[in-house]
Amino acid sequence: DLAAAEVDLIEMENRESQLKMALATVREKYDYIFIDCPPSLGLISINALNASDTVLVPIQCEYYALEGLSQLMATVRQVKRLYNPTLEIEGIVLTMYDGRLNLTQQVVDEIKKYFANKLYKAVIPRTVRLSEAPSYGMPIQYYDKRSKGAAAYDDLAKEFLKKNRRDYREEILEKLWIGKWLEKHMIVGHVYTCLMIIVGFVLFNAANLSEAASFLGGMFGIGNYPMVSMEFNYYIRSFA
């Protein structure tokens, strides 16, 4: 329960880095760590920004959300200058989108004007099923996996993985001796994928490419590559 966390943080030394220090002991065990921040710019959000590598910004397609976005960007710049110089914007995701409203299109046009290269193609629509899911304590994929909202979040997960999947593959290539030969001859993609499958099946009897990467990762000391989240684990197996 973080309801009173800001009050406690005020009295602490290095109060803006408490979350970063807590995550430092476990971050190498995970491929991705998602920190869900409150809609405010207090000490909790400052801690989250200080502990993060990138920021994924969901924004409602409403006028006041634009003002909140400008304040958030100012806070990100300040945190980057004072505490976390490597902090970057991962992307911006449009939520509660209703294409029938003129206001929605105006908000989208304004965001594209300033953040066109950061805007995700996946858009989360305004739907009744998405509104109902939290009241049942379930994510939309479990509440109604065939709904438009679930499909939209599926697309978002796929797009996120597509933007970030290159990182772990490059790391494996750098660690494996065969990787340097593959890079030298520009033979990546399908050849590399087939190599991973063959090595996983033959040496480790792995059931899929994700497990093969996990075995090889442990063997060469480069971490555990299957996703931590159940949803993301599903997608990395499908799209790796």
Side-chain angles (χ1 to χ4, degrees):
D1 185 4
L2 298 177
E6 296 216 9
V7 177
D8 296 331
L9 285 171
I10 292 176
E11 304 296 330
M12 291 184 178
E13 186 177 357
N14 298 321
R15 59 189 181 184
E16 74 284 343
S17 302
Q18 293 299 311
L19 181 58
K20 184 176 184 178
M21 291 187 290
L23 290 177
T25 59
V26 298
R27 65 177 297 162
E28 295 301 324
K29 299 179 181 179
Y30 302 100
D31 296 291
Y32 300 102
I33 298 176
F34 290 89
I35 306 172
D36 189 10
C37 297
S40 65
L41 298 176
L43 273 175
I44 294 177
S45 295
I46 297 297
N47 266 265
L49 292 173
N50 193 15
S52 300
D53 299 308
T54 61
V55 184
L56 184 62
V57 185
I59 179 171
Q60 296 181 8
C61 295
E62 298 179 1
Y63 173 75
Y64 286 114
L66 288 177
E67 292 189 358
L69 179 61
S70 63
Q71 295 175 11
L72 175 62
M73 293 299 107
T75 302
V76 169
R77 287 192 295 268
Q78 186 176 17
V79 170
K80 185 172 182 176
R81 179 173 59 86
L82 297 176
Y83 309 120
N84 188 358
T86 62
L87 183 65
E88 298 292 342
I89 300 297
E90 172 72 35
I92 296 175
V93 180
L94 298 174
T95 66
M96 300 182 71
Y97 179 89
D98 189 343
R100 299 170 297 178
L101 303 179
N102 291 332
L103 176 61
T104 295
Q105 193 56 50
Q106 292 173 5
V107 171
V108 173
D109 291 341
E110 284 297 311
I111 295 175
K112 286 183 177 179
K113 187 185 301 183
Y114 298 101
F115 303 100
N117 61 329
K118 295 292 185 181
L119 188 62
Y120 269 64
K121 294 179 181 179
V123 174
I124 310 303
R126 184 193 297 269
T127 69
V128 174
R129 305 302 275 174
L130 280 175
S131 301
E132 292 175 345
S135 65
Y136 288 89
M138 293 186 290
I140 188 63
Q141 282 82 2
Y142 296 143
Y143 181 65
D144 188 353
K145 65 180 181 180
R146 295 181 177 84
S147 65
K148 291 182 178 179
Y153 275 107
D154 288 348
D155 292 339
L156 176 60
K158 295 173 187 177
E159 187 174 354
F160 177 86
L161 286 177
K162 185 176 180 180
K163 288 177 179 290
N164 292 275
R165 61 189 285 193
R166 186 184 308 170
D167 295 339
Y168 86 87
R169 289 194 172 192
E170 288 180 350
E171 188 176 349
I172 294 177
L173 282 173
E174 290 174 359
K175 294 288 185 177
L176 294 176
W177 65 269
I178 192 65
K180 298 189 181 299
W181 186 87
L182 290 173
E183 285 185 324
K184 180 179 179 181
H185 293 81
M186 300 295 291
I187 303 176
V188 292
H190 292 300
V191 173
Y192 172 67
T193 301
C194 291
L195 171 68
M196 292 293 287
I197 293 175
I198 293 170
V199 171
F201 281 167
V202 174
L203 296 184
F204 310 109
N205 194 26
N208 51 50
L209 176 59
S210 181
E211 291 184 13
S214 176
F215 283 125
L216 290 173
M219 183 176 179
F220 289 92
I222 51 179
N224 183 21
Y225 286 101
M227 296 301 164
V228 177
S229 164
M230 178 168 59
E231 291 88 350
F232 278 95
N233 190 35
Y234 169 80
Y235 289 115
I236 198 64
R237 291 200 303 268
S238 300
F239 295 94

